[in-house]
Amino acid sequence: MTSVDIQLLATAAGGVLLLVVLIVSRSRLHPLLALLITSLGVGLAAGMPSETVLKSIESGAGHTLGAVGLVVALGAMLGKILADAGVTESISELILRKTSVRLLPWAMAGAAFVIGIPMFFEVGLVVLLPLIFGVARKLDAASSIKGSAYVYVGVPVIAALAAMHGMVPPHPGPLTAIAALNANVGATMLYGFIAAIPAIVLGGPVYGALVTPRMSVTPDQNLLDQFAAKRAGDDFGASLPRPSLGLGLLATLLPALLMLLNATAELVFAKDSAIVHATGFIGHPVIAMLLGVLFASFVLVLMRGGASEALRGALSASVKPIANVLLIIAGGGAFQRVLTDAKVGDAIMHMSQQLSLSPLVLGWIISMLLSVSTGSATVGIVGASGLLAPLAASGVAVNAPLLALSIGCGSLFFNYANHAGFWLVKESFGMSMGEATATISTIQSIVSLVGLAMVLLMNLLPPLA
């Protein structure tokens, strides 16, 4: 390592510390302001020209809003339709009627496990927020548990979505590692499913049972009213008959089904086939969510006699409560891009080259350090895969699918303030920095470490490919 590498690592660590101080100290700066100030400070301290820092902030915020913001906004619209039409209430009542309070976290983890197969973490969380809030609101009203009902229901969902996002193709992270390491897709997927199950159990229902009594988290009332409101008052659904449960489930799961269709087609058909091109379009998160909103608008409202003006008003109102969330997510994207453009990732890789470890452990460490320092799981996976690809191709005895899985697990560790997902969870659930750290950051760390343990255990067995 050079002195420049050491300086960059120290700057990155100092930037994260400054961010936390600005948010939790007496100044209590708004997270967006704190993120922008920290991004400017880190960029300039790392020696970046001021013009480059500004471009990094703009491009980082814009890219994150393009990748996450549109999906979150469309998810808010879909959630509003489902809530006002009574679908969320129907599903919540079904889950509570068929599942005991003690088994409820396991049911929520199972639902998130299925939905998380084709969906990014942020997309899956947005799709499941109406269900999380609907079930938790009823638990809270009944005083069924000690602590926060929203944490009790939400922790298993976060764990399942995180595990699927980092471990199982066709998510982009695992696929990137598979391509770089020339690993077998089927074997990596099977290993990923095997590793994900204990990771979800320990990071979800088990950890949730420990942390729930210690937390009193309640989301903002506007978000609760949007995602989990009962049909009453002046919403468009108050005068309409409640749709059947089957139709409501179809409207709820349509985006997930479209993304799963695309994932299946990519595994079955050639990449340049017409089917893959078609499913790739309709299965893109933005298009899938858009089609979901249009489908729900038609079958749950307009086709049942709902007024188009009332629907438009409801959709306009749906995006107002998430404006703050979107801006903070954009700030997180700006901070992430500054860290990346400052070459913090290169310093991490230089440091890792001095370590003499098993390729599986080394892949996890490199990916973890890059992800934590840059705020991007993709950067962690790309950097670790690129560094270890020559080793995988050199003929050294290494299980390439397990190496890809190890790298994916490393990218999940300690999702914190420079990750967009951290802010999405924090602001959606109305958490403080400490509460968000005790939930999403800790959950993903548990999932990451359990995943690594499963990789090392499966490496003792004969390889699948």
Side-chain angles (χ1 to χ4, degrees), residues 364 368 371-372 409-415 441 444-445 448-449:
W364 185 91
M368 177 271 291
S371 177
V372 170
C409 291
S411 72
L412 296 173
F413 189 84
F414 204 70
N415 183 309
S441 301
Q444 295 209 190
S445 297
S448 177
L449 290 169

Side-chain angles (χ1 to χ4, degrees), residues 19 35 74 118-119 193 218 240 257 259 263 298 325 369 381 435-436:
L19 177 63
L35 284 163
L74 290 169
M119 285 193 172
F193 278 123
T218 301
L240 301 179
L257 294 174
M259 291 184 220
F298 182 72
V325 177
L369 292 174
I381 290 173
E435 290 168 337

Side-chain angles (χ1 to χ4, degrees), residues 327-351:
L327 288 174
I328 293 172
I329 289 174
F335 187 31
Q336 170 193 319
R337 177 56 70 87
V338 168
L339 289 172
T340 303
D341 291 348
K343 306 298 183 184
V344 173
D346 290 349
I348 294 290
M349 286 193 287
H350 294 160
M351 181 180 68

Side-chain angles (χ1 to χ4, degrees), residues 386-399:
L387 186 63
L388 296 179
L391 176 65
S394 65
V396 175
V398 59
N399 187 321

Side-chain angles (χ1 to χ4, degrees), residues 231-298:
R231 302 194 310 159
D234 57 357
D235 64 51
F236 64 78
S239 60
L240 301 179
R242 183 181 291 187
S244 67
L245 182 61
L247 184 61
L249 285 172
L250 178 60
T252 303
L253 295 176
L254 182 61
L257 294 174
L258 292 175
M259 291 184 220
L260 182 59
L261 177 65
N262 176 44
T264 304
E266 289 180 339
L267 295 175
V268 174
F269 301 100
K271 291 184 179 180
D272 57 350
S273 66
I275 292 178
V276 170
H277 284 298
T279 58
F281 178 75
I282 64 173
H284 186 279
V286 173
I287 301 301
M289 292 299 298
L290 175 62
L291 292 175
V293 172
L294 295 177
F295 178 79
S297 299
F298 182 72

Side-chain angles (χ1 to χ4, degrees), residues 441-463:
S441 301
T442 305
I443 291 166
Q444 295 209 190
S445 297
I446 293 171
V447 169
S448 177
L449 290 169
V450 174
L452 174 62
M454 290 300 297
V455 165
L456 297 178
L457 285 174
M458 289 186 288
N459 191 50
L460 301 176
L461 303 174

Side-chain angles (χ1 to χ4, degrees), residues 177 181 359-360 363-364 388 391-392 398-408 455:
L181 301 172
L360 299 178
W364 185 91
L388 296 179
L391 176 65
V398 59
N399 187 321
L402 282 180
L403 180 57
L405 177 58
S406 176
I407 290 172
V455 165

Side-chain angles (χ1 to χ4, degrees), residues 13-106:
V16 173
L17 179 62
L18 172 63
L19 177 63
V20 173
V21 169
L22 290 175
I23 293 175
V24 304
S25 66
R26 287 186 178 182
S27 61
R28 296 284 181 181
L29 277 185
H30 188 279
L32 175 62
L33 299 179
L35 284 163
L36 292 177
I37 292 171
T38 303
S39 300
L40 285 169
V42 168
L44 295 175
M48 297 172 62
S50 58
E51 298 84 359
T52 304
V53 175
L54 294 175
K55 288 180 180 178
S56 295
I57 292 173
E58 290 176 355
S59 61
H63 175 77
T64 302
L65 277 181
V68 179
L70 287 176
V71 173
V72 172
L74 290 169
M77 291 182 176
L78 179 58
K80 178 66 171 175
I81 296 172
L82 296 174
D84 284 0
V87 173
T88 303
E89 191 173 357
S90 296
I91 297 175
S92 302
E93 290 173 352
L94 175 66
I95 291 177
L96 290 172
R97 188 168 61 249
K98 298 292 185 180
T99 308
S100 67
V101 173
R102 185 174 62 85
L103 295 178
L104 189 57
W106 300 87

